Amino acid sequence: MHELPVTQEMFSLVIKYAKSNNAKKINSIKLKIGALSTIIPENVKFYFEILSKNTIAEGARLLFEKKKSNAYCINCNKDFKIENLNLICPECGGENVFIKSDTEFIIKSITID
Ligand SMILES: [Zn+2]
């Protein structure tokens, strides 16, 4: 359950942002997850609900967006995007594929009142 520390960090950033903008309520939070991240949105939602109880973030909607990762094929020197761990080059069907980006989890936007 590695979503807990990630959710805690996200939660404290969101609260900090909301407070510095004098928000009364946080309506929604848009999150971007790297294509190869092992973060499970349902688990983030679960922890977020617990953390946000009795705070201005209670009831905020979490919106998840999967981010594509950049990959590179060494057979045909091609760059392409991947959405999952299916590491096959779309050009040559080869498996000599490298992933260029990491497995990030970022806050994209926050809407507040
Ligand atoms: Zn290729």
Side-chain angles (χ1 to χ4, degrees), residues 93-107:
E95 289 176 24
N96 292 322
V97 168
F98 281 100
I99 301 156
K100 288 165 105 179
S101 65
D102 59 3
T103 56
E104 63 193 316
F105 174 80
I106 54 166
I107 300 168

Side-chain angles (χ1 to χ4, degrees), residues 31-35 37 39 41 64-67 104-106:
L31 302 160
K32 233 174 182 182
I33 301 177
S37 169
I39 300 264
F64 293 89
E65 199 177 295
K66 235 359 184 178
K67 188 176 165 287
E104 63 193 316
F105 174 80
I106 54 166

Side-chain angles (χ1 to χ4, degrees), residues 73 75-78 89 91-94:
C73 174
N75 286 351
C76 53
N77 291 331
K78 267 248 171 211
C89 173
E91 288 292 316
C92 68

Side-chain angles (χ1 to χ4, degrees), residues 8-74:
Q8 271 170 332
E9 201 191 324
M10 180 270 279
F11 177 73
S12 66
L13 281 171
V14 165
I15 291 290
K16 215 166 140 188
Y17 168 83
K19 282 188 175 156
S20 69
N21 285 282
N22 299 314
K24 290 182 199 75
K25 191 176 161 38
I26 296 168
N27 295 320
S28 66
I29 303 154
K30 209 177 234 180
L31 302 160
K32 233 174 182 182
I33 301 177
L36 306 174
S37 169
T38 53
I39 300 264
I40 300 164
E42 289 312 311
N43 292 345
V44 175
K45 276 186 189 169
F46 174 78
Y47 290 127
F48 188 83
E49 267 174 38
I50 296 168
L51 292 167
S52 65
K53 257 216 144 60
N54 302 316
T55 72
I56 55 170
E58 187 169 4
R61 286 207 313 149
L62 297 188
L63 306 163
F64 293 89
E65 199 177 295
K66 235 359 184 178
K67 188 176 165 287
K68 289 181 182 175
S69 291
N70 293 308
Y72 171 78
C73 174
I74 43 173

